[in-house]
Amino acid sequence: MATEMVFCRGCGKQIHVSAPACPHCGFVQETAPSTKGLKNRGTAALLAFLLGGLGVHRFYLGQWWGVFYLLLCWTLVPGLIAVIESIVFLCTSDKSWDDKYNGGKNSGGASTVLVIVVIVVGIFFAIAIIGILAAVAIPAYQDYTRRAQISMAISELSSHKAEYEAIVQKRVLGKSLGEAGLTVNATPQTYLSGAYHDPSRLVLVGKLAGGSAGRTIGLRRNSDASWTCGSVDLEKRILPSACREDMVYASEEEAAKLRAAMK
């Protein structure tokens, strides 16, 4: 029957499907080898990517030391190693793979579908990791930036303690800072947008710029000539440890009224 005839792979003439060799040219006819029991590169890559942290890909490859992945999975290091291994598996040639894991027998190569699945899952995994890192890193960076800016503002404000002490000693508290001869450097570099003082509580107040714009930081001169630092509207977590005192002082408008009343 015609269906029992195939073409010789050597000379192209028709021969019977069961013929082990071509009777015309002697070319040995190979049949598709069974891949049963052989380790597929695509499957190993998929297992490494999805379950590699537990060593599943190593168990699939018949390697008992995959148990170390399982024992150390809580450190997340095996998972990272497995992701790298999945990439290595996909980049390995079919011949090299079969020589290493299948004793040189042809496993049929990596399934295109599996390769696509690994790549797609990898992309989503990378996006998820980037999203998580961004969600953690961006707020942390913003807090770090605000802390640095607040510290610079406090440093600038603190440099005027002696001048403010003179204002207290001269009893010119009814005047504004400018009238009393004190000029606070309010620049983008100092992260101060301005300053004023509360004459009733002897607080030198800096108005902040930068990431904390609109907020204030205060330096209060105590009766024993010591100084206290604190804020009425900044989160304590971003303040220096020495500036977390609970302080109350007048707003700039209220302080102006108090100074006017003292004249």
Side-chain angles (χ1 to χ4, degrees):
M1 296 177 64
T3 55
E4 296 180 345
M5 304 299 290
V6 295
F7 292 100
C8 171
R9 297 183 181 182
C11 63
K13 294 183 178 179
Q14 283 193 327
I15 60 175
H16 195 271
V17 68
S18 63
C22 177
H24 306 288
C25 66
F27 187 86
V28 176
Q29 307 300 304
E30 295 181 355
T31 56
S34 172
T35 59
K36 185 177 181 181
L38 300 181
K39 310 304 180 185
N40 184 271
R41 184 163 57 93
T43 302
L46 184 62
L47 290 175
F49 193 89
L50 297 179
L51 301 171
L54 301 175
V56 173
H57 62 302
R58 289 302 173 186
F59 294 127
Y60 169 74
L61 295 174
Q63 297 169 326
W64 66 269
W65 45 271
V67 70
F68 292 117
Y69 287 70
L70 189 60
L71 292 175
L72 299 174
C73 64
W74 60 274
T75 66
L76 302 183
V77 174
L80 178 60
I81 294 174
V83 169
I84 297 173
E85 287 176 326
S86 70
I87 297 173
V88 173
F89 290 168
L90 290 177
C91 294
T92 303
S93 67
D94 290 337
K95 185 177 185 308
S96 297
W97 176 267
D98 290 333
D99 288 343
K100 184 174 182 178
Y101 295 106
N102 295 314
K105 296 180 181 179
N106 185 4
S107 62
S111 167
T112 302
V113 174
L114 282 176
V115 172
I116 293 174
V117 169
V118 172
I119 293 174
V120 171
V121 172
I123 291 173
F124 279 107
F125 182 78
I127 292 174
I129 291 297
I130 292 172
I132 292 171
L133 291 176
V136 173
I138 292 177
Y141 175 75
Q142 290 174 335
D143 277 358
Y144 169 79
T145 302
R146 290 183 66 197
R147 286 191 180 98
Q149 293 173 350
I150 291 168
S151 294
M152 292 179 68
I154 293 172
S155 178
E156 172 59 31
L157 205 60
S158 297
S159 69
H160 298 285
K161 284 181 178 179
E163 294 172 87
Y164 192 68
E165 178 74 24
I167 292 175
V168 174
Q169 296 300 328
K170 292 177 182 177
R171 308 301 296 175
V172 290
L173 297 172
K175 296 182 178 181
S176 67
L177 290 177
E179 293 171 333
L182 197 165
T183 302
V184 176
N185 294 322
T187 68
Q189 288 73 37
T190 62
Y191 292 101
L192 283 174
S193 63
Y196 66 94
H197 75 100
D198 177 346
S200 64
R201 300 182 182 87
L202 301 183
V203 181
L204 180 60
V205 183
K207 297 186 295 182
L208 296 172
S212 300
R215 309 290 182 88
T216 54
I217 187 75
L219 299 180
R220 182 176 60 209
R221 181 192 179 280
N222 300 313
S223 58
D224 59 356
S226 64
W227 290 82
T228 303
C229 178
S231 176
V232 296
D233 50 15
L234 281 170
E235 309 95 301
K236 287 188 177 181
R237 62 183 176 81
I238 61 172
L239 287 171
S241 57
C243 288
R244 295 180 181 177
E245 294 290 334
D246 291 325
M247 292 179 62
V248 178
Y249 47 84
S251 67
E252 186 172 15
E253 293 77 11
E254 292 170 339
K257 292 178 181 178
L258 290 169
R259 290 195 300 271
M262 296 177 69
K263 290 182 179 179

